[in-house]
Amino acid sequence: MNVFGVTGWKNAGKTGLMERLVAEFCGRGLRVSTLKHAHHSFDVDHPGKDSHRHRMAGASQVLLASTERWALMNEHRGAPEPSLAALLAKLDPVDLVLIEGWKRDKHPKVEAWRAETGNPLIAPNDPTILAVASDTALELDRPVFDLDDTAAVADFILAHLEMAR
């Protein structure tokens, strides 16, 4: 499976870059899936709904399905958070999986970086970050792209993964 990550600090532009990359790759005819790491508790369910009631009653998994989509919710119930590899194994085969977050994992990544956040660059100390997408010109030992030049970032990712499109 072809995997590439987008990482960076909060408010660096990760989600916007991810959204644009998904649209860019889909526009090029690729099938794309995404994984997003949340550092906080989140819920896609709503109190009072049947699926929420099932979870609150103790169900380990609840699969919610309609004619438009399905979603599988899995409760850890005290078990450790699954590894990135374990989560990737749950996805259907696609051309490319884009990963947002998971800074410390060893997959190839591009760092989204905005000067205004005041956060340091991660790239100089992380060899898994192969390029930086920035709102400011930077002098680095790896490629630096304009944060808004989605096509150039997409071309870089495809070249690195040796995917023609």
Side-chain angles (χ1 to χ4, degrees), residues 45-59 62 73 77:
D45 212 357
H46 302 286
K49 295 294 185 183
D50 294 350
S51 54
H52 187 268
R53 292 171 61 189
H54 297 178
R55 286 178 42 228
M56 294 302 103
V62 176
M73 293 172 280
R77 303 269 184 235

Side-chain angles (χ1 to χ4, degrees), residues 22-40:
V22 169
E24 179 74 22
F25 289 130
C26 289
R28 295 182 187 197
L30 295 173
R31 291 182 340 132
V32 179
S33 290
T34 65
L35 278 176
K36 162 76 173 115
H37 191 263
H39 292 283
H40 48 79

Side-chain angles (χ1 to χ4, degrees), residues 123-137:
N125 299 310
D126 186 342
T128 67
I129 295 175
L130 306 181
V132 174
S134 174
D135 64 349
T136 305

Side-chain angles (χ1 to χ4, degrees), residues 9 15 17 33 53 72 74 76 80 82 85 87 103 105 132 146 153 162:
W9 301 111
T15 302
L17 180 57
S33 290
R53 292 171 61 189
L72 177 62
N74 190 80
H76 295 311
L87 294 170
K103 283 182 195 78
D105 280 84
V132 174
D146 184 291
V153 175
E162 299 179 351

Side-chain angles (χ1 to χ4, degrees), residues 1-15:
M1 187 177 310
N2 293 304
V3 173
F4 207 94
V6 174
T7 195
W9 301 111
K10 184 177 180 180
N11 297 320
K14 296 181 303 292
T15 302

